[in-house]
Amino acid sequence: MNSIIELKNIDKTFLTDEVETLALSSIELTINKGEFVSITGPSGCGKSTLLSLLGLLDTTSQGQFVLNGNDVSNLTKNERAKIRNKEIGFIFQSFNLISDLDVYENVELPLTYRNDLTADEIKTRVNDSLAKVDMGHRNKHFPSQLSGGQQQRVAIARALAGSPSILLADEPTGNLDSKNAQMVMDLLHDLHKEGATICMVTHDQHCADSASRRISLFDGRVVEDTNLSNQAA
Amino acid sequence: MFRDIKYAWRLLLKTPSFTGITIVVLAIGLGLSIYMFSIINMLAYKQLDIPHYERLVMIDAVVDGMENQGNVYAHDYDYMKQRQQSFEEFSAYIRTSLSLSNGKEAQRYDGAYIEPTAFSLFGGKTHLGRTFIDSDVKKAFIDTERSPVHSEVVIISYQVWQEYYNKSPEVIGKTVQVNGKVHTVIGVMNEGFAYPRKESVWIPIKVAANQNSGQGGWHVSIAALLKPGISLAMAQQELMTYSKELTEKYPESNTNVTVHSRTLVQMVMDNSMMIVYLLTGATIFIMALVITNVGNLMLARAMERSKEVAIRSALGAPRSRIIRQMLFETLIICFIGGFFGIILAGWGLDISRPLFETFGGGGSWWTFTLDAEELGIAGFIIFFTALLTGLFPAIKASNTDINSTLRDGTRGAQSKSSAKLSKVLVSAEIFLSCALLILAGVMIFGVNDAINADYGFKPKGMLTARFGLNTDDYKMTVERNLYQQRLIQALIREPGIENATTASAFPGRSSGRESIKIEDMANQDKQYPRSYFMTISKNYFEFLGVPVLEGRAFNDSDTIDSLPVVIVSTSFAKKFWPNTSSIGKRIKTEPNNPDSEWRTIVGVSKHLIHSQPFGDEQFRSAIYVPNSQLAYQYQYVAIKTALNPYQLQKTLVDTAAKVDSSIPLYHVFSLSDRLERRVGAMVFVGKIFIVFGALALILAAAGIYGIMSRSVTQRTQEFGVRRALGAIDRDIYQLLLKQGLTMLVSGISVGAALGYFAVNMLSGVLLTLSGYYLMVTTTVLLTISLTFIAATLIPAFRVLKLEPNSALRYE
Ligand SMILES: Nc1ncnc2c1ncn2[C@@H]1O[C@H](COP(=O)(O)OP(=O)(O)O)[C@@H](O)[C@H]1O
Ligand SMILES: [Mg+2]
């Protein structure tokens, strides 16, 4: 099998102020290696929630989640953290770089939470990742000294540094102007061509359609799952 | 403006717990500060009601580095007086105790022999009659004479006039026996005049020099008036050159003998000045802690409102208006806190009045109310606090860039300046509390030692009183001894009295120290060793329950005609005969006096602490001579009872009156009280430091927790990102501790260094402290470190309980 992610009958409810919100219900989803999946839908339909479940940033309320053949539905917080570190690369809408750390240190960060890498290996990986996003020359800059597009490229480098099985991106172009947005999309497509598996939330129709597969959510349910690979080519 | 105040008031009422906590912290902090500064102001800076008091200098001898009041040799006084250039006036006085008697009834008072010029230096104004003039002194006396009185006039205080003469307006010109000699009352001083210390009877003298330094029984203190423009330091330097000349001329008596001058204000404070500095420092530190805490609370509040402020400035509110409105909030809180603080301070002053009786040698100058001046200080402290705690946060909050507040650019960490500020605040809290806690801990242990000191005997149930055998009936040792033996016998016969004895001094009331010459022993130091010297009745050691460890106690075979004997303390014996027995060795006092007798050591008694139970004084040795061979005029009597000793006060006084009605007993105190009075100021300081220490710990813990928890909460998103990237809980804890380490280490090391400096400065001067420094410092550093770690980890634990998803969404 080359499926990376298998969701079986997933529900997610939030409890706020005694009110239950059913954010996701009965989600069945399989993502295979090498796919570029886009998730679309109106605001509040559960896109971010789904992505955070895929990224093990939150627990499911019900259902089974198999990641790379392992059931990860019932892990402790720290076990989930270890899996995130190795298997998942995050790209956020608001970049989420750490302002106290410079570009190099931001990219290095996920690698410092492992203890199976030597200093040399870390250095090579960080520099390779930065080279991939063409940010190697900004090593010593701090996030505040970079444009939004540059910050997002650093964030992508950070997501790549750990060689994850899948990249999860939540509206990666949402905070960017169209020129920078296009640059980030191009970068993601390049990565996809090189073999990366990507799952991206977006409400931009054009972006959604440029993926190899499009999933639409409405009110916490999958209402459409279209393979676009023929069109894209 | 009124609208701003009303708005501020409404906002405060909307957050009652914030307002309440802030007011409580302020009330306690301001109350303590106002209380302390009132005491300090009262002790150190109140003006004395004497003309030129700031130029008035008191000079005393320093022997072996220890100040010895009233111990300048008359010869040396005259020597300096002939040569000195720094002073307008230079005159001597001798503090003593004088009894007034009308033939039937005798009463004893603190008094002074005083040169007429010295008397006028203190600016005394008479209520009746006149002050001294030179011709009141009939003849100069020299310091080998036993009594310096060559005058037939006396001046009394208002209080004596009131008590002894019932305010009789005809008192001037009346005669009275002063220490058994007829004197004429020439003046009554105004109420409150009690100089040089706390005297109420004065007799004029004129001091002339003996040919040789270091002889005789009378020494003097010096009061002098600096010439305008001459500093105390310059004058002291001049006197030191004379001390050096005297040491060269008379090495045997004057080696290591110098003089020390200080202003009257300093003298009144005595070594309480050290306590004042100590308390001032500690109070400033507490105040700094309070300001840091309240300032931090205000800052947090201002930051919470930064969005509101940004909106208001976007709507066009001028910055000054925003600052002013925030300042009103601080002012309201500070004034309410200050109001309760003043009430607390007034209450504190009220209950601590009795503790101050031992300050400045029991001076009577202190008043214990918050007067206008102190209320002024209080107002200043409150206003200063309001400004410090309010202005800075208000400026900072109003300064935030509207754009970045409404739309935060980089997600993640705290804003840089607020992170830096948190670090500075936490380091400050750690540093202030460490220094204070170290000082407080060491002081508390030191004071506890002093209070529970083992003087070498148990003072429980002992009552002491003083008497002076100064009538013509008691000129000789034999007569004086006989009186004492009769008194002892009469007292022992009274029911309730288990035992009685007499001595020239009991522990707690330091006796004079004498130079001692040891037979056949070369002096290593070019200078005679000194030791407490007491004349005692034969049952003294039995009475105190102090064993004579070697040889024998005194007994009836020791008479005026038998071999002169002496008992020495183990501390004395061990010092001079570390390897052999001291029994049979001979010593004498007054080494330069050819008439001084050699005394044979017949016993070695257990070491007793005769003066303060701390510093060097506790180790000082003593020698004892039997009353039957040498008896002084002034003696103490002591009785022992199973009852509360004060129940026998009347029995004691009445029995003495039956033995000889012309010899009144006075200064009746239990021995425990005498010992406690010596440490009374210390007890106060100890209590204050318990309060300081507890408050410092609470303020620091609350403050550090408040700041850390805010800064951790502000970093919730950053931690969310780190966790999304794979950080486990331990990684976050480690990160926080690692980042906290710089704050902790910098705060702790500065605090510990400052604590060390303070303890070093105090140790030996006030108490023996250095022994506790290491133990206390270790405990304090551990406590503060644990507090800090808890303050870091507890909020982090709270944040880490969230799913990383929620942390990332945290606003
Ligand atoms: N941590 C949370 N607590 C409570 N409700 C949440 C939480 N996260 C999301 N929700 C709710 O779940 C629903 C889906 O949210 P989200 O996944 O963020 O939508 P989208 O990303 O598609 O705009 C919304 O109604 C939202 O209010
Ligand atoms: Mg979303």
Side-chain angles (χ1 to χ4, degrees):
Chain A
M1 275 289 280
N2 58 356
S3 74
I4 291 180
I5 282 171
E6 282 176 67
L7 297 184
K8 293 173 187 162
N9 198 24
I10 293 287
D11 281 1
K12 177 68 185 174
T13 45
F14 289 110
L15 191 70
T16 27
D17 300 330
E18 313 275 309
V19 180
E20 274 196 19
T21 318
L22 185 62
L24 293 174
S25 83
S26 319
I27 302 287
E28 300 278 347
L29 177 64
T30 303
I31 296 175
N32 290 320
K33 199 167 172 2
E35 279 192 304
F36 187 163
V37 180
S38 69
I39 301 175
T40 59
S43 180
C45 68
K47 305 183 294 291
S48 295
T49 305
L50 177 58
L51 207 68
S52 71
L53 288 184
L54 296 179
L56 292 171
L57 290 175
D58 211 341
T59 51
T60 60
S61 302
Q62 192 190 301
Q64 198 190 17
F65 179 8
V66 179
L67 179 71
N68 277 336
N70 303 312
D71 187 344
V72 293
S73 316
N74 298 305
L75 297 180
T76 65
K77 260 191 273 175
N78 284 345
E79 286 166 341
R80 283 189 276 133
K82 292 221 154 98
I83 294 176
R84 276 198 302 274
N85 182 263
K86 290 211 160 141
E87 309 289 350
I88 293 161
F90 286 102
I91 302 162
F92 302 95
Q93 173 174 3
S94 50
F95 326 137
N96 279 349
L97 295 179
I98 289 172
S99 55
D100 289 342
L101 303 180
D102 65 21
V103 164
Y104 184 91
E105 290 164 335
N106 262 293
V107 176
E108 184 190 32
L109 194 59
L111 305 181
T112 60
Y113 295 129
R114 294 189 185 180
N115 29 32
D116 55 353
L117 294 174
T118 66
D120 278 343
E121 282 172 324
I122 290 179
K123 205 171 164 191
T124 319
R125 282 190 183 217
V126 173
N127 287 330
D128 288 354
S129 309
L130 280 170
K132 262 187 205 161
V133 300
D134 199 19
M135 286 297 292
H137 56 299
R138 296 289 165 103
N139 258 346
K140 289 280 162 255
H141 284 63
F142 282 90
S144 57
Q145 298 166 317
L146 301 175
S147 74
Q150 289 173 322
Q151 287 192 45
Q152 193 62 302
R153 272 147 66 193
V154 174
I156 293 171
R158 183 175 67 182
L160 293 173
S163 321
S165 321
I166 184 166
L167 286 177
L168 301 179
D170 192 347
E171 312 234 14
T173 59
N175 280 9
L176 299 174
D177 58 61
S178 55
K179 194 170 140 244
N180 276 307
Q182 193 51 53
M183 190 164 12
V184 166
M185 281 314 295
D186 291 347
L187 184 55
L188 289 178
H189 283 293
D190 290 347
L191 292 169
H192 177 225
K193 279 186 199 125
E194 287 162 26
T197 311
I198 301 174
C199 181
M200 174 184 74
V201 166
T202 181
H203 59 241
D204 182 307
Q205 200 57 45
H206 180 68
C207 288
D209 292 345
S210 69
S212 65
R213 174 179 169 197
R214 187 182 67 208
I215 292 172
S216 296
L217 289 188
F218 187 79
D219 217 4
R221 289 168 193 278
V222 178
V223 293
E224 187 210 341
D225 191 343
T226 320
N227 206 320
L228 305 165
S229 35
N230 318 334
Q231 292 159 277
Chain B
M1 172 154 150
F2 185 68
R3 262 198 18 217
D4 280 346
I5 296 178
K6 236 170 78 180
Y7 181 62
W9 180 245
R10 213 171 60 216
L11 281 179
L12 287 175
L13 289 184
K14 250 169 71 181
T15 48
S17 61
F18 163 84
T19 310
I21 289 173
T22 317
I23 286 177
V24 168
V25 170
L26 270 172
I28 293 173
L30 287 172
L32 189 66
S33 307
I34 294 166
Y35 168 79
M36 290 310 303
F37 283 122
S38 307
I39 283 181
I40 290 160
N41 179 48
M42 178 173 68
L43 289 177
Y45 306 110
K46 276 250 161 102
Q47 300 209 341
L48 299 172
D49 190 20
I50 299 176
H52 313 304
Y53 75 92
E54 72 288 344
R55 283 198 281 138
L56 200 49
V57 171
M58 312 296 274
I59 301 159
D60 272 301
V62 175
V63 183
D64 300 346
M66 291 295 295
E67 176 139 352
N68 235 332
Q69 273 174 23
N71 250 325
V72 179
Y73 300 125
H75 168 274
D76 299 355
Y77 158 69
D78 198 56
Y79 183 93
M80 291 189 239
K81 184 175 181 160
Q82 302 307 326
R83 290 163 180 77
Q84 65 82 18
Q85 303 287 324
S86 302
F87 301 97
E88 266 175 37
E89 296 277 3
F90 198 79
S91 51
Y93 66 88
I94 299 165
R95 294 173 62 204
T96 180
S97 101
L98 298 167
S99 83
L100 298 183
S101 165
N102 55 13
K104 287 188 296 242
E105 200 188 338
Q107 194 65 48
R108 181 152 286 277
Y109 297 99
D110 288 315
Y113 301 119
I114 193 158
E115 291 193 311
T117 48
F119 196 77
S120 57
L121 270 188
F122 293 111
K125 299 244 164 41
T126 51
H127 181 71
L128 295 172
R130 62 169 177 88
T131 56
F132 295 129
I133 50 173
D134 281 345
S135 60
D136 286 333
V137 189
K138 295 282 175 271
K139 189 177 129 208
F141 86 98
I142 55 173
D143 63 354
T144 44
E145 288 179 63
R146 275 288 170 206
S147 166
V149 183
H150 295 287
S151 169
E152 286 152 6
V153 295
V154 60
I155 292 177
I156 58 175
S157 69
Y158 190 90
Q159 178 208 350
V160 171
W161 180 56
Q162 197 171 22
E163 288 175 6
Y164 197 79
Y165 288 102
N166 234 335
K167 290 198 175 182
S168 158
E170 282 105 49
V171 64
I172 304 299
K174 280 214 169 133
T175 58
V176 61
Q177 284 188 33
V178 181
N179 282 6
K181 287 207 179 75
V182 175
H183 283 64
T184 305
V185 179
I186 60 160
V188 176
M189 299 310 292
N190 268 333
E191 207 170 349
F193 183 86
Y195 291 94
R197 271 275 171 121
K198 47 176 181 177
E199 290 70 23
S200 45
V201 177
W202 300 271
I203 291 180
I205 50 162
K206 174 143 183 54
V207 177
N210 193 16
Q211 290 107 324
N212 214 334
S213 183
Q215 288 186 11
W218 289 97
H219 313 293
V220 303
S221 295
I222 302 167
L225 189 66
L226 282 171
K227 285 179 182 164
I230 303 281
S231 74
L232 181 69
M234 289 154 75
Q236 167 71 15
Q237 201 168 21
E238 189 198 0
L239 294 181
M240 287 305 273
T241 59
Y242 305 137
S243 292
K244 211 182 268 165
E245 289 170 22
L246 285 163
T247 304
E248 274 157 24
K249 265 195 189 149
Y250 310 102
E252 300 240 296
S253 60
N254 281 44
T255 299
N256 277 346
V257 174
T258 59
V259 291
H260 175 50
S261 355
R262 44 195 175 160
T263 62
L264 179 67
V265 179
Q266 287 169 335
M267 188 209 70
V268 163
M269 282 309 304
D270 208 355
N271 61 1
S272 314
M273 206 61 202
M274 200 64 170
I275 299 179
V276 166
Y277 293 142
L278 180 70
L279 293 179
T280 310
T283 307
I284 289 174
F285 269 50
I286 281 282
M287 211 47 225
L289 266 177
V290 167
I291 288 177
T292 313
N293 273 27
V294 173
N296 179 52
L297 284 168
M298 294 288 182
L299 186 69
R301 183 180 172 80
M303 286 320 199
E304 269 167 31
R305 297 229 315 259
S306 57
K307 220 160 219 167
E308 176 212 318
V309 169
I311 292 167
R312 270 151 57 95
S313 358
L315 293 177
R319 194 163 152 227
S320 61
R321 178 86 188 274
I322 292 172
I323 293 180
R324 198 172 73 190
Q325 196 260 309
M326 284 185 162
L327 267 183
F328 276 130
E329 272 178 54
T330 325
L331 277 175
I332 291 174
I333 286 195
C334 282
F335 277 113
I336 297 175
F339 173 75
F340 288 114
I342 289 176
I343 292 177
L344 274 178
W347 172 73
L349 286 172
D350 215 43
I351 59 168
S352 43
R353 186 166 312 160
L355 281 167
F356 272 88
E357 275 160 14
T358 55
F359 263 85
S364 46
W365 299 291
W366 323 128
T367 47
F368 277 83
T369 43
L370 282 171
D371 59 20
E373 190 183 343
E374 268 113 29
L375 284 176
I377 298 176
F380 174 77
I381 294 175
I382 293 169
F383 191 74
F384 181 72
T385 308
L387 211 64
L388 268 186
T389 54
L391 198 56
F392 185 56
I395 289 177
K396 192 154 165 39
S398 70
N399 214 6
T400 40
D401 174 13
I402 305 171
N403 233 346
S404 74
T405 310
L406 293 179
R407 186 163 175 272
D408 210 341
T410 35
R411 287 292 163 101
Q414 274 175 293
S415 89
K416 262 221 165 69
S417 69
S418 111
K420 206 182 272 165
L421 189 65
S422 297
K423 269 188 190 155
V424 171
L425 285 176
V426 169
S427 302
E429 298 245 6
I430 293 175
F431 139 71
L432 291 168
S433 57
C434 266
L436 251 180
L437 281 172
I438 289 171
L439 192 60
V442 169
M443 284 301 293
I444 291 165
F445 278 110
V447 167
N448 193 49
D449 271 7
I451 296 169
N452 297 320
D454 182 5
Y455 286 80
F457 73 102
K458 292 190 180 64
K460 192 163 181 282
M462 292 180 184
L463 190 67
T464 64
R466 190 156 163 80
F467 57 92
L469 296 165
N470 41 24
T471 64
D472 286 342
D473 295 342
Y474 302 106
K475 287 218 165 310
M476 312 295 289
T477 285
V478 177
E479 294 155 353
R480 291 172 180 168
N481 181 48
L482 201 64
Y483 170 83
Q484 294 180 47
Q485 299 320 309
R486 277 167 49 210
L487 179 61
I488 292 171
Q489 290 315 316
L491 286 168
I492 291 177
R493 274 195 303 271
E494 290 296 322
I497 297 181
E498 290 170 5
N499 205 349
T501 192
T502 60
S504 60
F506 283 97
R509 171 92 205 176
S510 47
S511 71
R513 290 202 305 158
E514 295 277 339
S515 299
I516 312 271
K517 187 174 167 72
I518 299 169
E519 194 177 35
D520 300 329
M521 191 177 285
N523 251 327
Q524 295 103 326
D525 308 337
K526 261 172 71 186
Q527 176 216 5
Y528 293 113
R530 285 172 170 258
S531 182
Y532 288 124
F533 178 85
M534 270 146 286
T535 67
I536 60 172
S537 285
K538 60 179 189 283
N539 66 341
Y540 175 88
F541 292 111
E542 172 212 317
F543 177 89
L544 290 178
V546 170
V548 175
L549 298 169
E550 199 187 341
R552 64 169 176 89
F554 298 134
N555 58 38
D556 288 333
S557 68
D558 300 313
T559 66
I560 193 93
D561 302 316
S562 68
L563 176 77
V565 291
V566 62
I567 290 175
V568 301
S569 65
T570 43
S571 41
F572 188 92
K574 282 223 184 76
K575 185 168 171 201
F576 298 107
W577 297 278
N579 303 315
T580 55
S581 167
S582 55
I583 301 289
K585 301 290 194 298
R586 300 206 305 166
I587 62 176
K588 72 176 183 181
T589 57
E590 295 184 45
N592 291 329
N593 185 348
D595 296 335
S596 163
E597 292 175 306
W598 286 107
R599 294 190 167 270
T600 304
I601 299 173
V602 294
V604 178
S605 64
K606 195 180 113 184
H607 176 75
L608 285 181
I609 296 176
H610 283 276
S611 55
Q612 301 191 96
F614 37 79
D616 294 338
E617 293 191 20
Q618 59 183 315
F619 304 114
R620 287 184 180 168
S621 62
I623 68 173
Y624 309 86
V625 168
N627 272 327
S628 55
Q629 294 186 337
L630 175 66
Y632 289 148
Q633 275 189 331
Y634 293 103
Q635 293 282 96
Y636 284 92
V637 59
I639 57 171
K640 191 152 104 190
T641 172
L643 306 170
N644 172 349
Y646 286 107
Q647 280 180 292
L648 289 170
Q649 179 162 3
K650 193 170 165 5
T651 315
L652 175 64
V653 173
D654 291 352
T655 309
K658 269 185 250 162
V659 176
D660 184 340
S661 65
S662 67
I663 307 297
L665 295 190
Y666 57 100
H667 286 170
V668 185
F669 288 110
S670 78
L671 200 47
S672 308
D673 280 354
R674 273 191 200 286
L675 299 177
E676 259 170 36
R677 277 172 73 101
R678 289 201 72 95
V679 295
M682 283 293 135
V683 171
F684 169 74
V685 171
K687 283 184 180 158
I688 277 291
F689 270 98
I690 290 176
V691 175
F692 277 177
L695 208 58
L697 193 60
I698 294 170
L699 285 175
I704 294 171
Y705 184 84
I707 300 167
M708 288 313 291
S709 105
R710 189 173 78 232
S711 102
V712 166
T713 309
Q714 281 175 351
R715 294 176 68 180
T716 302
Q717 281 195 342
E718 179 201 336
F719 296 149
V721 174
R722 287 176 182 269
R723 291 165 74 197
L725 299 179
I728 58 171
D729 293 358
R730 210 185 52 220
D731 292 321
I732 304 292
Y733 290 133
Q734 272 173 1
L735 175 78
L736 278 171
L737 290 180
K738 216 177 89 193
Q739 289 177 340
L741 204 65
T742 41
M743 291 184 251
L744 186 63
V745 168
S746 61
I748 273 182
S749 40
V750 178
L754 201 77
Y756 182 75
F757 173 74
V759 169
N760 242 10
M761 203 173 72
L762 292 174
S763 197
V765 184
L766 284 179
L767 298 166
T768 340
L769 298 174
S770 18
Y772 291 110
Y773 176 77
L774 214 65
M775 189 262 289
V776 169
T777 304
T778 316
T779 316
V780 167
L781 296 195
L782 240 112
T783 311
I784 292 289
S785 301
L786 287 178
T787 308
F788 177 78
I789 289 171
T792 310
L793 297 189
I794 292 171
F797 177 77
R798 252 187 6 229
V799 165
L800 290 178
K801 263 201 336 223
L802 295 174
E803 286 293 336
N805 189 34
S806 314
L808 279 166
R809 285 167 157 267
Y810 185 87
E811 284 294 325

